[in-house]
């Protein structure tokens, strides 16, 4: 009924997930970018791809990334919990 084009069964792995707002970091040295789990916006490190997104919401292992807009649109539906990012709050 409220089917959104961005939804493709992400509930299976993102329902109730803990997400952290952070600067994009590659999950692995072997790839240079990621895509939003929902809308496929591109994430990359700034020096590699300047016009990509450089910040977003990620799972603790940096494996799954969600852009600001999709986070806003789906946070209630998915029941995400926002956790403090480590290392960025000090100083
Ligand atoms: Zn998105």
């Amino acid at each position: 009924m409220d089917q959104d084009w961005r939804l493709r069964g992400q509930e299976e792995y993102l329902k109730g997930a803990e997400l952290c707002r952070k600067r994009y970091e590659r999950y692995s040295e072997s790839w240079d970018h990621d895509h939003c789990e929902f809308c496929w916006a591109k994430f990359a490190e700034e020096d590699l791809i300047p016009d990509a997104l450089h910040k977003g919401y990620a799972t603790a292992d940096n494996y799954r990334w969600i852009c600001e807009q999709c986070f806003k649109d789906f946070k209630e539906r998915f029941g995400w919990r926002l956790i403090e990012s480590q290392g960025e709050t000090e100083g």
Side-chain angles (χ1 to χ4, degrees):
M1 166 177 145
D2 61 343
Q3 192 64 22
D4 187 291
W5 65 272
R6 292 170 290 183
L7 294 169
R8 293 177 302 275
Q10 290 94 333
E11 281 96 342
E12 285 177 28
Y13 52 87
L14 281 173
K15 189 121 193 165
E18 292 187 335
L19 299 174
C20 185
R21 187 170 192 275
K22 59 172 85 168
R23 207 153 49 95
Y24 176 74
E25 286 169 40
R26 284 178 288 174
Y27 173 71
S28 148
E29 286 291 312
S30 64
W31 74 70
D32 64 1
H33 69 276
D34 268 292
H35 291 276
C36 172
E37 291 291 330
F38 295 89
C39 71
W40 287 72
K42 187 186 275 188
F43 285 95
E45 288 175 14
E46 195 158 10
D47 51 348
L48 287 176
I49 306 181
D51 64 352
L53 297 173
H54 311 303
K55 271 187 183 172
Y57 296 88
T59 51
D61 57 4
N62 289 346
Y63 186 64
R64 301 196 186 273
W65 288 83
I66 298 163
C67 76
E68 303 257 3
Q69 187 61 51
C70 293
F71 180 82
K72 264 189 236 162
D73 291 350
F74 299 125
K75 66 182 176 193
E76 276 144 35
R77 181 185 186 111
F78 281 79
W80 290 325
R81 288 194 293 148
L82 196 55
I83 55 171
E84 292 292 319
S85 61
Q86 265 126 57
E88 277 189 30
T89 48
E90 284 181 67

